[in-house]
Amino acid sequence: MMRVELVRRPQHSTLFSVLSPFIALVLTVIAGALMFSLLGKNPFEALYYYFVEPLTGLWDENNRWQLHELAIKAAPLILIGVGLAVCYQSNNWNIGAEGQFILGAIFGSMLPVVFPQFQGPLVLPAMLLLGVLGGALYAWIPALLKTRFNTNEILTSLMLVYVAQLLLDWMVRGPWRNPEGNNFPETRRFHMDAVLPEILPSAGRANLGFVFALVAAVLVWVLISKTLKGFEVRVLGASPRAGRFAGFSAARMVFFAFGLSGALAGLAGISEVSGAMGQLRPVISPGYGFTAIIVAFLGRLNPLGIVAAGLVLGLTYLGGEAAQISIGVSDKVARVFQGMLLFFVLGCDTLIHYRIRISGFRRAAPAEAEPVAGRA
Amino acid sequence: MGIAESILLTIATAATPLLIAAIGELVVERAGVLNLGVEGMMVMGAVCGFAGATVTGSPWLGVLAGIAAGAAFSLLFAFLTLSIAANQVATGLSLTLLGLGLSGMIGESFVGTAGNKLSSLAIPGLSDIPLVGRLMFGQDPIFYLSILLTIGVMWFLFRTRTGLTLRSIGDNHGSAHALGIPVIFYRYLAVMFGGACAGLAGAHLSLVYTPQWVENMTAGRGWIALALVVFASWRPLRVLAGAYLFGAVTIGQLHAQALGLGIPSQLLSSLPYLATVVVLVIISRNRRLTMMNTPASLGRAFVPDR
């Protein structure tokens, strides 16, 4: 029988840590082509609408607006993904960013919805701060439960997503429903001072949210790679024991990582509603908080890589819409693409730590050494 | 049929998918593998179960399709984490994300289609026993299966040699490997069993609980099943108790919504999720107890060196 074996590399491969996201992208495109053929579509045409058509604005002046749409989709993905990278690097599994996004949006919307008479240039900064606060506070719940009660943060942070979605649903149907809105489940529209300005209003809708995303990515990159705190993140993530000996507090790191990622998710949430939407609705996110997990891994948990990854995943959302309109493929395909991409990314990451040896039809020699049990 | 009896019947129906999915994941985790993809496998089971029943016209074939879909889908996870040692947490998450996307695509043509309900199976004689008869012997077939499955897994894990081997792999895969136990092979089987269970649980949702297909219809039940395993400290009987507790919370809040007590329905709907958090906190507060019960190799990749 043919055997496929993994042989641990003495050192992790720098070549493959750069190459693996690209290999994963190529594999995803190939798998996508297969999927479109199975659906009875011309795969080349479908892939064109998915990955090229939304980018025609790069050379075609008339389609410039599409690049703006891409920035709108990519901004929350990058903001959340950058925060998640800090979490995952420090071995804190926050998967509830979707909930923190929603709480950020709710907190920030408090000003224009409850106090519409409060206007002026201070409104927007105050909203953004409230959004950051809302996201961070919501992320601190699983952090507190993890540090105080040793509760698994994966499950609690995820459960809180459902709670947040229901809370938002109640708010916009109940106390915050627009009194002049004909009973539609939505809040009043934000007044002008509460709307996030667009970057280039003449060219497209992209708003300051994208600028926030780029700034956050650079700042977090500096934090992780140039500061002591960043070193702490990496040490505690790679080896909690070594971190303890170095005098780093694992508990404080839990609060730091969750707080930072919650804050960025909250900022993404309030930027989304005050920028692209201008009001709260029962559903404000097409799963950005979950897609950002894929973004974080595709970007190899490196903030600068995450900017690129956020643009790629933003493209799958846009491509999904484009392909639905032009060739009638369901927009659900976008989520399949996203899921496949994460699979391939994780699979390719193996190449960084292991060589794959395929041996022919011979029995393996008996084991002579202690088995290597790699940590997850 | 009294109202109390009908409430108890629906509790069993709500608890069954949680029980099946959690029992499957329990076996997976006892083998030392953490598969966070339960939600994804479950939703795949739900859509394929529904599709199978609609296309063939037989709900039984639908159930089989659900089981097969869950098991096949879990193979993706198994290959990534077991054969090429990918991170289990992240791979499990990706299984959930992919499952939710894929099921939405497969199920698109079935949205709004009338379902094909798996009818109840009253066991002759026994179901006529007063009080408990209908409750225990007048249920849907998957209910009986879930009880048999729980007993079967208990027997397998704690009364058979193979079960002991499986548990030893979960506690120390290095030593198990040194003893010549094919660790990866066992884990493949365990993961597939978990996938099949999750698929069956999903099929129960789309063929018994609410016989229709709605996107994301699992609504976090896969995650609650994962929490149940922790809550039960990896013991089958406690999983059973936990599943019924959650079934009771789910049905209780539905009845409270119907009564219209002036409590926002959203608050009531969030009760199962909040209960999960509370229960997890209570159970994991005792650090020593948790450490003692958790399979020691849980979530760690294993790569045999030869």
Side-chain angles (χ1 to χ4, degrees):
Chain A
M1 197 180 135
M2 194 179 76
R3 294 170 61 90
V4 180
E5 283 175 44
L6 298 182
V7 183
R8 185 174 268 279
R9 296 178 194 274
Q11 272 177 330
H12 80 248
S13 154
T14 323
L15 175 70
F16 277 109
S17 43
V18 175
L19 273 187
S20 86
F22 294 98
I23 302 175
L25 273 175
V26 170
L27 290 174
T28 308
V29 169
I30 295 173
L34 278 175
M35 182 174 69
F36 286 124
S37 321
L38 284 176
L39 289 172
K41 307 282 175 194
N42 178 347
F44 297 104
E45 196 189 356
L47 288 175
Y48 170 81
Y49 281 112
Y50 246 86
F51 295 108
V52 183
E53 156 80 16
L55 292 177
T56 46
L58 282 175
W59 54 86
D60 184 351
E61 194 79 37
N62 294 326
N63 286 342
R64 207 45 53 90
W65 61 272
Q66 284 190 323
L67 296 181
H68 283 250
E69 295 302 312
L70 180 59
I72 287 180
K73 293 276 190 281
L77 293 175
I78 296 169
L79 270 173
I80 304 171
V82 162
L84 291 182
V86 175
C87 269
Y88 298 163
Q89 282 207 18
S90 64
N91 215 3
N92 286 300
W93 291 95
N94 176 11
I95 56 171
E98 183 85 359
Q100 294 139 26
F101 178 94
I102 292 173
L103 261 286
I106 293 179
F107 265 60
S109 305
M110 204 185 314
L111 288 182
V113 173
V114 184
F115 307 105
Q117 67 281 11
F118 172 41
Q119 301 194 344
L122 278 179
V123 175
L124 198 58
M127 280 168 66
L128 296 175
L129 272 180
L130 279 172
V132 165
L133 187 71
L137 286 177
Y138 207 55
W140 270 333
I141 299 174
L144 180 75
L145 298 180
K146 179 177 181 178
T147 51
R148 265 309 292 272
F149 304 113
N150 189 32
T151 313
N152 182 320
E153 76 274 24
I154 300 174
L155 295 169
T156 49
S157 63
L158 188 99
M159 287 297 138
L160 290 174
V161 172
Y162 293 100
V163 177
Q165 287 170 341
L166 288 162
L167 175 69
L168 173 67
D169 191 75
W170 173 67
M171 297 288 263
V172 297
R173 289 176 202 278
W176 282 12
R177 190 173 54 200
N178 186 359
E180 294 111 45
N182 298 324
N183 264 335
F184 273 108
E186 51 190 36
T187 63
R188 64 172 87 238
R189 291 201 71 85
F190 295 179
H191 54 78
M192 282 316 291
D193 290 337
V195 170
L196 203 60
E198 288 170 357
I199 304 172
L200 274 175
S202 57
R205 296 198 307 143
N207 54 50
L208 283 182
F210 190 65
V211 178
F212 296 159
L214 297 182
V215 172
V218 172
L219 289 181
V220 173
W221 178 76
V222 171
L223 174 94
I224 291 186
S225 49
K226 306 282 178 219
T227 68
L228 179 62
K229 194 75 191 170
F231 181 65
E232 200 181 322
V233 167
R234 282 176 287 141
V235 170
L236 281 170
S239 164
R241 221 169 109 80
R244 243 192 344 268
F245 286 134
F248 298 147
S249 157
R252 242 180 305 162
M253 180 50 67
V254 175
F255 278 98
F256 175 76
F258 268 87
L260 182 68
S261 68
L264 289 174
L267 180 62
I270 186 57
S271 303
E272 176 76 5
V273 288
S274 89
M277 310 180 85
Q279 67 185 156
L280 278 182
R281 293 182 205 136
V283 176
I284 55 171
S285 157
Y288 286 136
F290 295 112
T291 310
I293 299 173
I294 306 174
V295 169
F297 279 103
L298 180 62
R300 307 229 59 240
L301 303 186
N302 175 330
L304 303 183
I306 286 171
V307 173
L311 290 168
V312 171
L313 270 294
L315 196 58
T316 61
Y317 276 113
L318 281 190
E321 290 165 15
Q324 185 177 31
I325 295 166
S326 43
I327 51 172
V329 201
S330 154
D331 63 337
K332 310 264 181 337
V333 173
R335 290 176 69 195
V336 180
F337 258 117
Q338 297 170 353
M340 286 197 305
L341 186 55
L342 182 53
F343 252 105
F344 285 123
V345 169
L346 295 170
C348 291
D349 276 3
T350 299
L351 294 171
I352 299 168
H353 298 288
Y354 299 96
R355 276 188 305 122
I356 290 181
R357 189 167 60 194
I358 299 173
S359 48
F361 294 80
R362 67 184 171 78
R363 292 289 300 171
E368 70 252 15
E370 263 295 287
V372 184
R375 278 203 49 137
Chain B
M1 178 165 61
I3 188 149
E5 199 186 26
S6 77
I7 288 179
L8 288 174
L9 266 176
T10 45
I11 287 178
T13 313
T16 298
L18 294 175
L19 174 60
I20 297 173
I23 283 287
E25 178 67 14
L26 182 140
V27 172
V28 179
E29 293 193 12
R30 278 285 188 173
V33 181
L34 178 66
N35 185 355
L36 293 181
V38 183
E39 179 87 0
M41 301 185 295
M42 204 169 171
V43 79
M44 285 300 283
V47 73
C48 293
F50 188 88
T54 308
V55 171
T56 63
S58 155
W60 281 105
L61 288 177
V63 170
L64 285 181
I67 295 175
F73 204 52
S74 74
L75 269 180
L76 275 178
F77 174 86
F79 175 74
L80 247 75
T81 57
L82 303 178
S83 291
I84 60 174
N87 180 317
Q88 292 183 9
V89 173
T91 309
L93 277 176
S94 72
L95 198 68
T96 289
L97 293 173
L98 183 62
L100 289 172
L102 210 54
S103 63
M105 196 175 86
I106 296 171
E108 206 165 33
S109 53
F110 296 108
V111 175
T113 318
N116 209 335
K117 193 175 190 309
L118 190 66
S119 47
S120 297
L121 187 73
I123 297 183
L126 292 176
S127 60
D128 298 329
I129 302 171
L131 294 176
V132 294
R134 255 190 69 85
L135 279 181
M136 297 184 64
F137 303 106
Q139 296 265 16
D140 64 274
I142 301 180
F143 164 81
Y144 306 121
L145 203 56
S146 75
I147 303 295
L148 289 179
L149 203 61
T150 312
I151 298 170
V153 163
M154 266 168 69
W155 171 79
F156 167 74
L157 281 178
F158 302 105
R159 291 282 178 274
T160 67
R161 176 104 197 146
T162 324
L164 179 67
T165 310
L166 183 107
R167 286 187 290 137
S168 77
I169 292 171
D171 275 329
N172 192 331
H173 47 212
S175 305
H177 175 70
L179 285 172
I181 296 168
V183 172
I184 302 290
F185 176 71
Y186 266 84
R187 287 189 167 167
Y188 255 95
L189 291 183
V191 167
M192 282 181 70
F193 176 76
C197 285
L200 175 61
H204 180 273
L205 284 177
S206 64
L207 294 172
V208 178
Y209 191 56
T210 47
Q212 54 179 323
W213 165 251
V214 183
E215 209 189 341
N216 297 343
M217 71 182 293
T218 43
R221 285 189 182 83
W223 293 102
I224 294 182
L226 272 161
L228 276 177
V229 179
V230 180
F231 164 76
S233 36
W234 294 269
R235 314 255 166 138
L237 262 190
R238 294 189 201 169
V239 167
L240 181 90
Y244 276 78
L245 178 75
F246 274 88
V249 173
T250 309
I251 297 303
Q253 61 92 4
L254 281 179
H255 279 277
Q257 284 192 32
L259 286 176
L261 300 170
I263 307 168
S265 66
Q266 292 92 343
L267 176 63
L268 292 169
S269 301
S270 68
L271 281 181
Y273 308 114
L274 290 171
T276 308
V277 174
V278 171
V279 154
L280 279 175
V281 167
I282 292 173
I283 208 72
S284 52
R285 214 175 37 178
N286 191 336
R287 201 175 287 256
R288 213 172 51 86
L289 200 72
T290 322
M291 293 259 287
M292 231 167 60
N293 286 316
T294 316
S297 294
L298 186 62
R300 297 194 182 171
F302 174 71
V303 180
D305 58 342
R306 243 337 116 70

